[in-house]
Amino acid sequence: MERRAALQRIAAIGALGAGAGCAEFGEGYPLAETPRFVPIQWPENRPKTALVLGSGGPRGFAHIGVLKVLEAAGIEPTLVVGSSAGAIAGALYAAKIPMPEIERRALDLGITEIADPAFLQPTKFIGRALQNFINSVVGERAIEALPRRFCAVAAPVGKSELVAFTCGNTGAAVRASAALPSIFRPVYIGGVAYEDGDVVSPVPIQIARTLGATRIVAVDVSAFLEDTPDRAPESWRARDAERRAIIDSEAKGADLMLRVRLPYYAGASREYRENLIRLADSQTRGAIDRIAAVLRE
């Protein structure tokens, strides 16, 4: 199934559940938990290492394969930075949810767990369901209460800049980071509208540096331009090339960029997710010595 077609199918299926009562009222968290930026408090006894997980829609399931290998090898970054799908995987990892549990939830994830179509825009999701899902899985803990340091990256609508959410409600921060404009409505935090960080920086390496990281491994799950099928629309080619240019311009800021090679077309099935996790697992194992050299103490 083609990447955008898969996302549109998810939105369409979600629209069928509009009568289930998915209306959004308020922020869904206390005012004191409003996501915001505060400087990272780096431990004195550990190097300032960061793992940056990039965006990629359904391709983001590949991050689970990467994380499985890192955990099995006993490699633990001090900070996890995530954008969009990378923020979703990163939040669960930062909460120290056991990897088998993260993988199970990813494979079992159903439409109803993230589908909350907007009443006036039934082809778009509100995003509250995703917010609630994340908060439930991480035990309703705020970002600053997670066992691992975590940052979700989002972009203010209409601006070519990023905001790093390092404190506050975890689900709301992830929701803002994953608010892909073609699928989700913008997320308002503190009166500012935010959308998917992919719009500005698909793999936010510079944010990790700005936060103080001195060693960075970044994971890119974007399509390889050379894998583009001949029948792919020109608009897809243009967007892929634009994303690649942004990613390549930031790549020099990472000590290691792991580009996971995945099928060009995305899907929504369990089999698709299993295949991505398998591919990422294998490719990460092949790079584990190089990753360890950067992230190990």
Side-chain angles (χ1 to χ4, degrees):
M1 183 181 296
E2 299 179 351
R3 292 179 299 167
R4 287 163 179 77
L7 293 172
Q8 290 167 355
R9 176 173 174 268
I10 291 173
I13 294 174
L16 296 177
C22 300
E24 176 185 41
F25 298 99
E27 290 79 11
Y29 53 85
L31 183 61
E33 290 186 13
T34 299
R36 58 198 181 278
F37 168 75
V38 298
I40 295 294
Q41 298 300 310
W42 295 93
E44 295 182 358
N45 61 342
R46 293 191 61 190
K48 297 179 179 179
T49 59
L51 176 67
V52 178
L53 303 177
S55 56
R59 303 168 70 88
F61 285 103
H63 288 309
I64 296 169
V66 175
L67 295 173
K68 283 177 60 178
V69 175
L70 295 188
E71 185 161 285
I75 299 173
E76 181 178 7
T78 307
L79 169 68
V80 182
V81 177
S83 175
S84 193
I88 296 173
L92 304 190
Y93 175 72
K96 285 196 173 181
I97 308 299
M99 283 309 305
E101 175 69 5
I102 292 178
E103 183 172 17
R104 182 191 69 77
R105 285 183 175 274
L107 295 177
D108 293 343
L109 185 65
I111 293 299
T112 57
E113 292 181 274
I114 62 170
D116 51 355
F119 180 70
L120 297 179
Q121 294 178 289
T123 60
K124 287 194 175 184
F125 294 159
I126 295 169
R128 174 64 69 79
L130 174 60
Q131 174 178 314
N132 293 344
F133 171 77
I134 294 294
N135 281 333
S136 175
V137 177
V138 303
E140 305 296 334
R141 287 175 290 182
I143 294 173
E144 64 273 22
L146 298 177
R148 293 185 174 107
R149 290 162 182 79
F150 173 65
C151 169
V153 178
V157 175
K159 296 184 179 181
S160 297
E161 60 185 56
L162 294 174
V163 171
F165 291 121
T166 58
C167 184
N169 189 272
T170 304
V174 171
R175 170 187 173 189
S177 181
L180 185 67
S182 62
I183 301 297
F184 289 92
R185 286 170 45 186
V187 177
Y188 283 84
I189 295 177
V192 177
Y194 292 94
E195 61 187 4
D196 196 322
D198 177 83
V199 176
V200 176
S201 176
V203 187
I205 296 166
Q206 186 54 49
I207 283 286
R209 287 289 183 198
T210 300
L211 293 175
T214 57
R215 305 184 200 169
I216 298 174
V217 169
V219 182
D220 176 21
V221 296
S222 305
F224 281 57
L225 297 185
E226 56 268 35
D227 292 343
T228 306
D230 292 339
R231 64 181 182 280
E234 189 57 39
S235 60
W236 293 21
R237 296 173 183 273
R239 177 53 185 156
D240 287 345
E242 179 183 358
R243 291 181 83 258
R244 176 53 50 203
I246 295 172
I247 293 169
D248 287 348
S249 70
E250 284 199 61
K252 58 182 178 292
D255 296 277
L256 174 64
M257 171 71 88
L258 176 62
R259 291 189 63 198
V260 183
R261 196 165 208 143
L262 305 169
Y264 183 82
Y265 291 119
S269 69
R270 182 186 181 93
E271 291 73 21
Y272 172 78
R273 302 173 195 183
E274 290 174 335
N275 186 43
L276 260 58
I277 293 172
R278 218 170 17 245
L279 288 170
D281 181 302
S282 174
Q283 292 173 51
T284 305
R285 289 179 187 278
I288 196 63
D289 289 342
R290 291 183 293 134
I291 295 172
V294 177
L295 295 183
R296 273 212 172 115
E297 300 182 13

